[in-house]
Amino acid sequence: MVGHAFGNRVARMTATDHPGVVDSVVLLACGGAVRPHPADAAALRAVFDVELGAIDHLAAVERAFFAAGNDPLVWADGWHPLVAFFQGIATDSLDVSHWWSAGRAPVLVVQPEEDVIAVAANADDIVERLGARARLVSIPGAGHALLPERPTATLTALLDWFGERTADR
């Protein structure tokens, strides 16, 4: 299972609760335990503020999701406040310790080096806790919007991981 941002919580929860159906887990922008700086968390909330003007909205998208020098226009629209609301409920409904370790699945963490939302301390923590069961690949020049910022580096990390997993069988 591959999960980006909130999706990495879904991937870890699935691996925890249904270990027989998950071969491995890839976490893109690994968050969960260590919270972002309050100003960055405020920018994330502002992204979903439908009353915010276009310029301020784009500034919030840039701060919350993009590394310096990357173009936030690719994520200028398509934000759904209701989805964010329900993600917040899901996030708060279960203790992180239940799903943090992704069950017993091997885990690849692809961590954007400039992610201010899913801060690198989360990636470092899970890799340290899981030891040989986890691997960390850091992607420079990327923030939380890892996929549009560094698609080739992200794809390379995933293909290498899946190739090694297939070769081991």
Side-chain angles (χ1 to χ4, degrees):
M1 286 194 74
V2 178
H4 172 255
F6 180 80
N8 84 68
R9 296 165 188 255
V10 174
R12 288 189 271 182
M13 178 66 93
T14 303
T16 298
D17 288 353
H18 305 284
V21 299
V22 177
D23 180 65
S24 64
V25 173
V26 177
L27 308 176
L28 307 177
C30 179
V34 180
R35 300 284 184 173
H37 184 278
D40 298 320
L44 176 62
R45 286 189 302 277
V47 165
F48 297 98
D49 181 351
V50 296
E51 301 296 320
L52 203 59
I55 292 171
D56 291 335
H57 179 262
L58 191 59
V61 169
E62 184 173 27
R63 179 176 183 137
F65 293 102
F66 287 84
N70 293 336
D71 186 1
L73 282 174
V74 298
W75 278 12
D77 59 10
W79 299 98
H80 302 285
L82 190 58
V83 172
F85 173 76
F86 284 114
Q87 285 181 344
I89 289 172
T91 296
D92 295 340
S93 70
L94 192 60
D95 189 272
V96 163
S97 64
H98 176 76
W99 50 264
W100 185 253
S101 297
R104 59 178 183 260
V107 175
L108 171 65
V109 178
V110 181
Q111 184 63 32
E113 287 184 1
E114 296 181 48
D115 194 337
V116 298
I117 299 302
V119 296
N122 289 295
D124 295 339
D125 181 78
I126 194 168
V127 170
E128 182 179 322
R129 286 181 197 231
L130 300 185
R133 188 163 64 95
R135 177 181 306 152
L136 174 62
V137 174
S138 295
I139 305 291
H144 201 62
L146 170 67
L147 294 165
E149 290 179 293
R150 296 293 179 263
T152 303
T154 304
L155 179 61
T156 298
L158 270 67
L159 291 176
D160 289 350
W161 171 258
F162 293 133
E164 290 171 19
R165 303 241 343 112
T166 303
D168 290 343
R169 292 184 183 180

